[in-house]
Amino acid sequence: MVEKVITLENIPLLDFLGSGNENIKQIAAAFPQSKIVSRGNEIRIQGRAPEILRINDLLNMLLQHFHRFGHITPDNIKDYIALEGAPFEENQKNDVIIYGNKGLVVKPKSANQRKLVEAAFKNDLVFALGPAGTGKTYIAVALAVRALKNREVKRIIITRPAVEAGENLGFLPGDLQEKLDPYLRPIYDALSDMVPSEKLKFYQETRVIEIAPLAYMRGRTLHDAFVLLDEAQNTTSEQIKMFLTRMGPNSKVIITGDQTQVDLPKRQKSGLNEALRILKDVKGIGFVHLSGKDVIRHKLVKSIIEAYDKNESQKEVRRDENQSGKGADEGTA
């Protein structure tokens, strides 16, 4: 038997260990051959050396997660435990998509992000669906840059519909490109993390990396390319069909969207929802659903998403009650 002691310094113990040490108990349940006990700010692990190393790696990952996001949930622990198989440190190295600028390591940070990566490796067309902050666009951009660096494709094409999210595009200053840049800013931000600025500028000038509104895709055949359609919930049925039929030989396509944030006019149906219904049984297409559990922005974003989801559920209940009340009134009239 080997014993290892991990000391938690400058960490709110309740937030990390969980109420009644529930987080530590969850870890202990995953490793029944070892003994894991928390006393004060110390976590004591007793067991065989190989398993202790894995528990130590798990706790280090959870500490990194806590320092970055400010909280640890049972779902976080479940996701990290799901990475089991090889030693955790080795498994994390294998998860790296690319190494970005200034030592940045880009890799999936949740089980569903990992599913997105796996789906992209297995399929030429993948739908990545989920709320804001789940990293679907960032991971998709990383996969595209990886494919370009590995010479699996000759170019990257990233597009999104220029739909106004409550603002009026016509009142923005500048020419058409300057008006559209704010809509494409999240793409530029992701690329700037992964490609040196001078090289990114060269890639754009030579059209190795092309970032353009969806309307510019009409009439083209996109071959030898990694293509990303972002914010696809704001496409019309005609637009998304047009985009899907642009796929050419040796193309990889990822379509991302948040079905809860449609900015189309009220009477306009989302083309993404229709495409998902029509294509759900087509072989060779991957579908990955991310949720609030995968949010990797500020820790408040997850709570904001949950609050809005709760509000929408309450609205639906009230609508159902109102409709039931109207039906009853009509029946007695």
Side-chain angles (χ1 to χ4, degrees):
M1 294 285 285
V2 179
E3 181 176 89
K4 180 173 180 61
V5 178
I6 296 176
T7 302
L8 304 176
E9 297 180 352
N10 302 318
I11 290 180
L13 297 180
L14 180 61
D15 292 340
F16 184 80
L17 301 175
S19 177
N21 289 340
E22 61 180 354
N23 292 342
I24 295 301
K25 291 176 182 177
Q26 184 178 353
I27 296 171
F31 297 93
Q33 296 181 358
S34 298
K35 183 178 180 180
I36 307 173
V37 178
S38 62
R39 292 176 181 169
N41 67 337
E42 292 185 344
I43 300 176
R44 293 183 176 271
I45 313 167
Q46 294 180 338
R48 292 163 52 184
E51 190 159 278
I52 283 184
L53 288 174
R54 290 195 14 223
I55 297 169
N56 181 67
D57 288 339
L58 171 62
L59 288 170
N60 283 332
M61 286 196 297
L62 290 172
L63 284 167
Q64 290 175 14
H65 182 104
F66 183 85
H67 285 308
R68 182 166 185 179
F69 304 115
H71 63 87
I72 292 288
T73 69
D75 287 320
N76 296 144
I77 296 171
K78 183 179 178 181
D79 287 344
Y80 283 116
I81 290 172
L83 299 178
E84 216 181 331
F88 280 103
E89 185 177 349
E90 179 184 338
N91 211 324
Q92 287 289 291
K93 287 179 182 177
N94 292 340
D95 274 350
V96 173
I97 302 172
I98 58 166
Y99 293 94
N101 298 327
K102 299 179 181 178
L104 176 68
V105 178
V106 182
K107 58 186 176 182
K109 291 182 170 61
S110 72
N112 285 328
Q113 286 188 3
R114 197 177 187 191
K115 287 178 183 177
L116 173 54
V117 174
E118 292 171 352
F121 288 157
K122 294 177 182 177
N123 302 280
D124 288 337
L125 173 59
V126 175
F127 286 85
L129 311 167
T134 52
K136 54 190 183 297
T137 299
Y138 198 83
I139 293 293
V141 171
L143 289 167
V145 174
R146 178 186 183 278
L148 183 65
K149 284 187 174 181
N150 291 345
R151 299 184 179 180
E152 296 167 10
V153 297
K154 294 180 180 178
R155 55 185 174 154
I156 295 172
I157 299 172
I158 305 176
T159 185
R160 67 191 315 193
V163 174
E164 302 167 5
E167 304 88 359
N168 191 323
L169 188 63
F171 285 99
L172 292 174
D175 59 20
L176 178 61
Q177 187 60 47
E178 290 171 327
K179 289 174 185 288
L180 290 169
D181 273 352
Y183 293 90
L184 302 171
R185 179 49 50 192
I187 306 298
Y188 289 115
D189 289 344
L191 284 169
S192 65
D193 279 351
M194 304 171 199
V195 183
S197 58
E198 287 301 316
K199 181 171 281 189
L200 179 57
K201 183 179 178 181
F202 172 76
Y203 280 158
Q204 289 186 262
E205 289 174 348
T206 56
R207 302 180 75 83
V208 172
I209 295 180
E210 181 180 353
I211 307 171
L214 180 59
Y216 288 21
M217 299 298 109
R218 189 173 300 278
R220 302 177 59 181
T221 300
L222 308 176
H223 56 83
D224 295 315
F226 200 114
V227 189
L228 167 60
L229 170 59
D230 194 34
E231 300 286 354
Q233 76 275 4
N234 289 328
T235 59
T236 64
S237 298
E238 294 78 12
Q239 285 176 327
I240 199 165
K241 181 181 178 182
M242 176 274 291
F243 174 81
L244 288 167
T245 54
R246 299 306 94 198
M247 286 185 69
N250 192 37
S251 289
K252 281 272 190 181
V253 176
I254 296 181
I255 296 174
T256 69
D258 178 0
Q259 294 162 282
T260 68
Q261 290 191 347
V262 177
D263 298 315
L264 293 167
K266 290 183 179 180
R267 295 183 180 180
Q268 182 75 61
K269 293 183 179 179
S270 170
L272 174 62
N273 293 334
E274 182 180 70
L276 293 172
R277 177 178 57 80
I278 293 172
L279 302 176
K280 63 181 180 179
D281 296 322
V282 176
K283 293 182 179 180
I285 301 178
F287 299 90
V288 180
H289 294 269
L290 298 99
S291 70
K293 298 175 184 177
D294 302 293
V295 169
I296 57 170
R297 290 182 180 171
H298 191 284
K299 57 186 178 182
L300 280 176
V301 174
K302 181 178 178 181
S303 299
I304 291 168
I305 291 171
E306 290 173 349
Y308 271 91
D309 287 344
K310 182 179 179 181
N311 182 63
E312 286 300 316
S313 298
Q314 291 172 344
K315 281 184 179 179
E316 290 179 7
V317 170
R318 287 195 292 269
R319 279 197 295 267
D320 291 342
E321 290 175 348
N322 290 337
Q323 289 174 358
S324 297
K326 288 180 181 178
D329 291 341
E330 291 170 0
T332 57

